[in-house]
Amino acid sequence: MGTKERFEATAAEVARVCEAAGRKPSEVTLVAVSKTVGPDQVAEAIAGGATDFGENRPDQLVPKADEFTQATWHFIGNIQSRRIRDIVGRAALVHSLFEERHARKIDDVARERGIVQDVLVEVNVSGEESKSGLAPDQVRAMLQTCADLPNVRVRGLMTMAPQGDLDAARRTFAGLRALRDELQPSFPDLTELSMGMSEDWPVAIEEGATIVRIGRAIFSETF
Ligand SMILES: *Cc1c(COP(=O)(O)O)cnc(C)c1O
């Protein structure tokens, strides 16, 4: 199997898991995380039907997004202030916002360019020290800050689960969903849940993911 076939198989599996969970496949966006591969494999995934791609470094986002303008690009990595100009506008959705100073800078750059940048707030639901993101009890204040930034629109929440333990992953995903449900009455734009990677995406879909970010299952021959 090549990348095209692996993408097709993954997309079919995502649709099957949605149906089994009583959800519509159209409710879940499959983001192909192309951070470890070059343009040839991006092109193969597009040939298999991929529409959305994720990158975690501006150095990779910039050339790929500029080459494959027919695709929708997502920024899923660590945000650095000095690279925000490269990300705003190129990424249709920034998944990994958790610092107020970055929100303000994104707002400034988006305003200069006359756009509104869609973002997700990254939450460290599991509390693991190695994970970035806000503690759940800090998210409301962040959303309030962003509500005063006219060129930033928070569309939802993102998290990463502990690896190698699907029960812990399920608790993490359920926790993100509960937080979204709790905050949504005050913040009606908060609809998206970006959660689930190659090892745990079926569990994430069962727990309400609207975006899954899948890398190795699509792009690695050995996954
Ligand atoms: C790399 C990455 C993914 C994809 O991980 P896989 O295990 O390869 O599916 C998803 N989300 C983020 C934030 C990543 O950095």
Side-chain angles (χ1 to χ4, degrees):
M1 259 208 274
T3 297
K4 176 172 177 284
E5 290 74 24
R6 278 193 304 269
F7 179 82
E8 288 167 345
T10 304
E13 190 62 9
V14 166
R16 195 192 62 72
V17 170
C18 285
E19 305 274 10
R23 303 188 58 204
K24 293 199 198 79
S26 61
E27 290 172 22
V28 179
T29 300
L30 166 52
V31 173
V33 177
S34 49
K35 65 189 183 191
T36 59
V37 301
D40 293 353
Q41 281 187 266
V42 171
E44 276 195 52
I46 289 173
T51 56
D52 288 73
F53 290 88
E55 288 290 339
N56 68 343
R57 298 170 62 126
D59 291 347
Q60 293 282 317
L61 174 73
V62 170
K64 288 176 187 158
D66 290 354
E67 178 170 353
F68 298 99
T69 54
Q70 71 273 50
T72 300
W73 291 85
H74 298 248
F75 187 76
I76 62 174
N78 189 31
I79 297 173
Q80 290 176 295
S81 253
R82 64 192 168 80
R83 303 309 300 273
I84 283 175
R85 287 184 176 281
D86 293 327
I87 299 169
V88 169
R90 258 196 198 86
L93 186 63
V94 176
H95 292 227
S96 42
L97 176 68
F98 61 91
E99 291 195 56
E100 284 192 8
R101 66 192 173 102
H102 292 154
R104 293 184 195 286
K105 178 113 191 244
I106 291 171
D107 184 58
D108 288 341
V109 174
R111 184 173 316 103
E112 271 171 35
R113 298 187 183 166
I115 62 170
V116 174
Q117 178 66 56
D118 282 344
V119 303
L120 306 177
V121 170
E122 183 169 354
V123 187
N124 184 356
V125 177
S126 64
E128 285 179 290
E129 267 182 39
S130 60
K131 296 259 189 295
S132 45
L134 293 175
D137 65 2
Q138 298 174 316
V139 174
R140 183 178 288 274
M142 180 68 167
L143 297 177
Q144 269 152 359
T145 298
C146 291
D148 293 330
L149 303 176
N151 295 73
V152 170
R153 179 168 56 172
V154 183
R155 302 296 313 278
L157 305 176
M158 182 274 235
T159 199
M160 294 178 64
Q163 285 184 299
D165 178 347
L166 286 181
D167 290 332
R170 187 180 295 281
R171 286 193 296 276
T172 300
F173 298 147
L176 193 71
R177 182 194 185 141
L179 184 62
R180 194 265 326 257
D181 292 348
E182 178 192 323
L183 294 166
Q184 204 179 23
S186 318
F187 302 96
D189 286 338
L190 206 69
T191 53
E192 305 292 335
L193 291 173
S194 170
M195 54 191 200
M197 312 188 352
S198 291
E199 285 170 16
D200 53 23
W201 66 261
V203 176
I205 288 178
E206 287 165 12
E207 297 300 332
T210 63
I211 303 172
V212 290
R213 311 178 307 268
I214 304 182
R216 287 169 298 149
I218 296 168
F219 291 109
S220 165
E221 279 165 30
T222 55
F223 178 73

